[in-house]
Amino acid sequence: MASIIIPPFLSAGIINRRNLLLSTTIATVSPPSQLPSPDLTITDRVFLDFSLCPTYFRSDPSATLSSTTPCSDSSPLGRVVLGLYGRHVPLTVSTFKLMCTSSSTSYKNTPVHKIFPGQFFLAGRQGLRRDTAEISPLLKDLPRNTDVVNSKSFLLPHARPGLVSLCLSENDDDDETRLDPNYRNVEFLITTGPGPCPQLDGGNIVFGTVLEGLDVVTSVATVPTYKPSENIRQFNDFAEFIGDERAQNARSLWNRPLKTVFISDCGELKVTKPSLSPTLP
């Protein structure tokens, strides 16, 4: 008999208004012990070109990011080709692919906003503030992603470098944005290694792998980031303990790249023959 499975980000205690909003769609699936092994056929390929700006970039609040070049003296870091698991999490893959190909709202000319050395980096943050080079929250043309309330979506571990994952528990979008009725989560991470990231398992959805350009991923991971002093960390922990909202705002600056890494171009690469066992770098 089928049973109702609580989404992993709720069962793990990761409860916020965004998750409650997404959970209005309830998935009825088989018990975890009966879930089939994920189908890791690579159904789609996309590319992300990364570039580096020598200084931290602040955008023009009136500009449309997808149509502007954020840095006139940027240098290319290279291309990353991703293979996507479209049979495992079809809605997650279709949304990501659309964000790589859309002419209106896309990842093009948007920044990598957080880098965690030796672990992963984050990109695709949404928000209302255009001065921080974020993706517009108005993504009403994208369908709701019911993969996020399906237990089988969370089966793949963040076991090695070069995995691309939809951010849920690690999501950095602000609360006001998440409550927008047109909100569609498009923030993603890529693991950088050298080891696994087990803290990401069960709360974020692995939906693809790096096929080419793992050296570019490594280059992004080595960009210097803002690191608060120990005194600041201790003060922030105390502020969080007493419920001071400024603590969370302050932490939004932690691990931010000191030089702007951004996606200078992106798009789809046609798959001539899906591969059941992709060649990994």
Side-chain angles (χ1 to χ4, degrees):
M1 179 178 177
S3 61
I4 297 176
I5 301 299
I6 299 174
F9 51 76
L10 296 183
S11 60
I14 306 168
I15 300 176
N16 56 38
R17 286 178 289 174
R18 182 190 62 81
N19 291 337
L20 292 175
L21 182 64
L22 287 172
S23 297
T24 53
T25 302
I26 299 176
T28 302
V29 296
S30 301
S33 61
Q34 298 179 16
L35 290 175
S37 298
D39 185 343
L40 302 187
T41 301
I42 291 177
T43 58
D44 305 271
R45 285 180 174 86
V46 299
F47 70 88
L48 302 174
D49 290 342
F50 289 92
S51 294
L52 181 67
C53 189
T55 57
Y56 182 73
F57 170 71
R58 305 287 293 193
S59 69
D60 178 358
S62 63
T64 301
L65 288 176
S66 60
S67 63
T68 60
T69 301
C71 183
S72 59
D73 56 347
S74 63
S75 55
L77 292 176
R79 171 167 292 188
V80 175
V81 176
L82 301 173
L84 308 181
Y85 306 144
R87 294 182 184 173
H88 175 48
V89 280
L91 287 173
T92 301
V93 166
S94 64
T95 296
F96 185 80
K97 187 169 67 171
L98 184 60
M99 290 298 297
C100 290
T101 58
S102 173
S103 59
S104 55
T105 301
S106 77
Y107 293 127
K108 184 177 180 180
N109 288 334
T110 59
V112 171
H113 59 274
K114 290 286 184 70
I115 299 174
F116 297 85
Q119 301 180 65
F120 59 93
F121 63 77
L122 293 168
R125 181 177 188 266
Q126 294 171 253
L128 301 174
R129 294 178 52 197
R130 305 300 288 175
D131 62 334
T132 53
E134 296 159 325
I135 290 174
S136 168
L138 302 179
L139 303 174
K140 61 183 179 181
D141 293 334
L142 296 178
R144 285 199 176 277
N145 187 356
T146 55
D147 287 342
V148 302
V149 290
N150 189 335
S151 290
K152 77 178 185 67
S153 303
F154 297 83
L155 293 178
L156 295 177
H158 299 73
R160 56 177 172 77
L163 294 175
V164 58
S165 179
L166 181 68
C167 295
L168 296 173
S169 66
E170 305 299 315
N171 188 281
D172 203 27
D173 296 348
D174 56 78
D175 287 343
E176 186 177 0
T177 298
R178 294 170 186 164
L179 290 175
D180 189 304
N182 293 322
Y183 176 82
R184 304 290 186 269
N185 179 63
V186 295
E187 187 173 347
F188 68 96
L189 65 86
I190 297 180
T191 56
T192 60
C197 294
Q199 75 276 19
L200 301 176
D201 296 346
N204 305 280
I205 299 175
V206 175
F207 65 91
T209 183
V210 173
L211 298 178
E212 301 174 23
L214 193 56
D215 58 325
V216 179
V217 171
T218 302
S219 296
V220 172
T222 60
V223 173
T225 61
Y226 170 69
K227 296 179 176 63
S229 67
E230 185 60 28
N231 288 339
I232 291 177
R233 287 182 179 274
Q234 292 177 358
F235 181 80
N236 186 274
D237 289 343
F238 176 74
E240 182 182 25
F241 177 76
I242 64 175
D244 191 330
E245 294 182 356
R246 290 175 295 180
Q248 182 176 357
N249 293 334
R251 283 199 303 276
S252 67
L253 299 175
W254 299 5
N255 295 100
R256 176 178 285 184
L258 297 180
K259 298 179 180 180
T260 299
V261 182
F262 65 100
I263 300 170
S264 49
D265 199 7
C266 53
E268 182 180 9
L269 299 172
K270 294 298 183 181
V271 178
T272 56
K273 184 177 181 181
S275 171
L276 289 173
S277 54
T279 301
L280 300 176

